[in-house]
Amino acid sequence: MKITYFAWLKDKVGCEEEEISLPVEVTNVGQLINWLSMRGPQYEDAFEFIEVIKVVVNQMVVHNDHLLKEDDEVIFIPPIAGG
């Protein structure tokens, strides 16, 4: 699975994108977020305010109950402030 992080999420996580093997116990977006959050303090910090982050799977905005497949592309997009 390819995961891409945008804006301040990539800074907090420490990378713009990564390839992971989807754990067997992770079947939906909410479980993926929980699993990622347990990978270390930088991930826990990045997903602290998950309610403001849009999740896109295969170019479609989805909710936490969206089912995942190993070959999906997941993008996490936080709100971006501008002026």
Side-chain angles (χ1 to χ4, degrees), residues 62-77:
V62 298
H63 297 285
N64 283 356
D65 61 350
H66 181 85
L67 297 177
L68 295 171
K69 298 182 303 284
E70 182 68 37
D71 61 346
D72 284 340
E73 180 180 8
V74 179
I75 302 172
F76 292 102
I77 307 172

Side-chain angles (χ1 to χ4, degrees), residues 28-76:
N28 66 37
V29 169
Q31 292 169 340
L32 175 63
I33 292 166
N34 289 339
W35 180 79
L36 287 170
S37 295
M38 294 186 301
R39 291 180 73 196
Q42 73 273 27
Y43 288 92
E44 185 178 3
D45 187 41
F47 290 107
E48 181 179 6
F49 300 107
I50 190 59
E51 65 276 358
V52 300
I53 298 171
K54 288 195 185 316
V55 182
V56 177
V57 176
N58 301 327
Q59 302 179 1
M60 185 174 75
V61 176
V62 298
H63 297 285
N64 283 356
D65 61 350
H66 181 85
L67 297 177
L68 295 171
K69 298 182 303 284
E70 182 68 37
D71 61 346
D72 284 340
E73 180 180 8
V74 179
I75 302 172
F76 292 102

